Amino acid sequence: EQLRKVVVKLPSVLAYSYESNIGPSLAALQERLSLSSEQLRKVVLALPQVISLSFESNITPKLNFLQEELDLSDDDLRDRVVAFPTLLGYSLEKRFRPRLKACRMAGVDDMLVLSRITVPDIGFCKSISAPHYCVME
């Protein structure tokens, strides 16, 4: 049943090689975040696309950015990803960086980047009392 959910959400997974794609990426994610098998399963079921993302060029930069810029401990980063796996699906350059910059310019808590990640850009800007174009480059 769980495998069916993953395949329905990400049919291209059927073309991936476990040995060269899926296995190494999931092992790297599990190691980087010190995830239990159950936590890893939860992340994959919530965001099957994580299987298709490059760990080195996509996931690692996001995790490093979030941890360094938001001053998250290893445990806090893991807990946030497990609680909201879709964080890994957002763009570092188009979502996280511009929103962090907007928060800092508006003088609001940097953690709003995470707590309001699903809010569309205009709503995000409004929520931090910034101009509606606050996340535009």
Side-chain angles (χ1 to χ4, degrees), residues 30-119:
Q30 187 171 25
E31 181 179 339
R32 171 65 173 83
L33 293 175
S34 299
L35 296 171
S36 68
S37 295
E38 178 59 26
Q39 289 169 323
L40 180 63
R41 183 188 69 76
K42 182 180 179 194
V43 170
V44 172
L45 289 175
L47 184 70
Q49 296 83 351
V50 74
I51 294 171
S52 66
L53 301 175
S54 165
F55 184 78
E56 291 303 318
S57 66
N58 189 308
I59 295 175
T60 296
K62 284 178 204 171
L63 295 175
N64 291 344
F65 174 83
L66 293 173
Q67 191 161 30
E68 292 165 12
E69 293 294 331
L70 300 178
D71 197 29
L72 300 175
S73 68
D74 290 343
D75 290 346
D76 198 21
L77 180 64
R78 180 195 59 238
D79 292 348
R80 288 175 186 276
V81 169
V82 170
F84 195 61
T86 54
L87 281 175
L88 297 176
Y90 289 98
S91 170
L92 177 59
E93 298 304 325
K94 294 180 181 177
R95 195 70 154 205
F96 290 115
R97 285 189 196 280
R99 288 184 176 209
L100 181 60
K101 181 179 177 182
C103 284
R104 289 181 174 166
M105 289 179 69
V108 298
D109 184 6
D110 290 351
M111 297 306 281
L112 293 175
V113 169
L114 297 180
S115 64
R116 298 189 181 152
I117 194 70
T118 62
V119 177

Side-chain angles (χ1 to χ4, degrees), residues 102 119-136:
V119 177
D121 287 342
I122 292 174
F124 177 80
C125 294
K126 184 176 180 181
S127 77
I128 63 169
S129 299
H132 71 278
Y133 53 85
C134 76
V135 294
M136 305 294 178

